[in-house]
Amino acid sequence: MVKHGWVRDGRAVVGWGVGYAGFGLACASGGTALFGVAWLGWVAVGVGLGAAGAGWAAVRQREEAGAGAWRSRWLGRLLWLLCGLAVVSAFSLLMDVTTLVFGQGVDSVPDAVNRALAASGALLLAGTARSRRPGGAAGGPVPAPSAAPAPIQLTAWAGTLAFLPYVVMKLVWALGGTFAGITGAEMYDAYVRNGSSGLWLTLESWGLDGTVLLAAAGVFLLWGLVRPWGQVFPRWTLPLRGHRVPRWLPLTPALLGAATLAPYGLVGLGYLGLCSAGVVGIRHGDIATPGQTLQVAWVGICAFAGYGVALALAARSYWRRTGG
């Protein structure tokens, strides 16, 4: 029996597809817009029904083959296509998670639920798609802990360094200093106006910034993906030391973060390039001038793009090195 076979043979995809289609139908029939567009509920219905059909086809082909795997190329392509659509729908889920961690409310509950459902569906669809060939997702000898190749580790360094200007900027504000002509007091007032949670404001008053803490956690995750200690718990974890790290533990936040930050950062670089060239204007919101907004935005977007790409490459390397 293949471990977690209920995921890989398509049954979980069937269940998810039916549930996601039901969610989309509830939104569409109830007039609830997703991402501000009323008809996107029907798109969710289509994706859900397509996933349910593809999952059922995978189950049937696996039963007919009798060898624990299905081999239809068109079905594999359909599963990967649906997985891609689910990833797009899950875009910016990380932002929702961040706001909830610091006790703030999400901008839209239906959108947040949609992103969470889409992210879980993407994982299930990918797991089923990878099981197309015999042994593609089956268990086997567990690979020995290993470091990522040198180019991937250099990428991890690049992703880490990309965050440094962002961390400096946020800490300067949290400590009451001035960056890009904006004082820490002005930023604190903007947090209050925008309804930031008590936890967030308390951290700011202590000279800490919530996003800096998340950046530190993100860098820790990045290096766990490229170093051997990300595959076996190190000595300082005490009761866990020496035990294998479950693959899903680092890969779940890594894939979620990469799917959010890499496209957000790369698209943002193109947008800021157009803004800097004067092709389009930039909204400056709480910041006084467009020039100041551009300075702050370049720091943030370069951090997200550099880290997001590094995280995606590190996650791919970890996936391959621990595949077994």
Side-chain angles (χ1 to χ4, degrees):
M1 178 69 69
V2 177
K3 188 178 180 182
H4 303 316
W6 62 277
V7 172
R8 291 165 181 149
D9 69 5
R11 284 174 288 171
V13 168
V14 174
W16 175 84
V18 171
Y20 192 58
F23 168 77
L25 181 61
C27 291
S29 60
T32 301
L34 293 176
F35 307 113
V37 181
W39 51 265
L40 280 182
W42 294 112
V43 174
V45 172
V47 172
L49 292 178
W56 181 250
V59 172
R60 296 288 297 173
Q61 288 191 22
R62 184 184 295 273
E63 290 175 348
E64 292 171 0
W70 49 275
R71 304 187 181 189
S72 173
R73 289 188 176 182
W74 69 264
L75 182 54
R77 290 169 182 167
L78 176 59
L79 285 165
W80 282 119
L81 173 62
L82 293 168
C83 178
L85 293 174
V87 169
V88 172
S89 297
F91 177 74
S92 80
L93 175 60
L94 182 62
M95 307 305 182
D96 293 335
V97 174
T98 300
T99 58
L100 292 173
V101 165
F102 288 100
Q104 298 175 233
V106 295
D107 293 333
S108 169
V109 173
D111 288 351
V113 172
N114 179 73
R115 294 184 184 109
L117 289 173
S120 61
L123 293 174
L124 294 174
L125 287 161
T128 303
R130 288 187 66 245
S131 67
R132 184 175 71 85
R133 298 180 182 278
V142 178
S146 61
I152 300 298
Q153 296 201 48
L154 288 175
T155 302
W157 275 112
T160 301
L161 294 175
F163 255 137
L164 285 181
Y166 179 82
V167 169
V168 169
M169 175 181 73
K170 300 290 272 186
L171 286 180
V172 166
W173 283 332
L175 294 171
T178 300
F179 186 94
I182 306 163
T183 66
E186 290 172 331
M187 288 303 300
Y188 187 88
D189 290 340
Y191 293 144
V192 174
R193 287 196 304 272
N194 293 330
S196 295
S197 68
L199 174 59
W200 185 279
L201 296 177
T202 299
L203 289 173
E204 291 290 333
S205 67
W206 291 347
L208 296 173
D209 182 88
T211 54
V212 170
L213 299 178
L214 291 174
V219 170
F220 177 82
L221 171 64
L222 178 61
W223 283 99
L225 293 169
V226 301
R227 299 301 303 168
W229 57 262
Q231 298 168 50
V232 175
F233 287 106
R235 287 178 295 179
W236 50 264
T237 57
L238 300 179
L240 294 175
R241 61 182 178 181
H243 293 277
R244 297 289 303 197
V245 175
R247 292 180 76 211
W248 61 265
L249 187 59
L251 281 175
T252 299
L255 294 174
L256 176 61
T260 297
L261 295 178
Y264 178 78
L266 294 175
V267 172
L269 288 176
Y271 170 69
L272 290 182
L274 294 175
C275 292
S276 298
V279 177
V280 297
I282 188 170
R283 295 175 56 189
H284 50 87
D286 291 318
I287 300 178
T289 68
Q292 291 174 321
T293 303
L294 275 174
Q295 292 181 57
V296 174
W298 273 114
V299 172
I301 288 297
C302 287
F304 298 149
Y307 176 79
V309 171
L311 189 63
L313 294 174
R316 180 176 182 271
S317 173
Y318 186 93
W319 184 301
R320 298 186 68 177
R321 293 183 352 260
T322 60

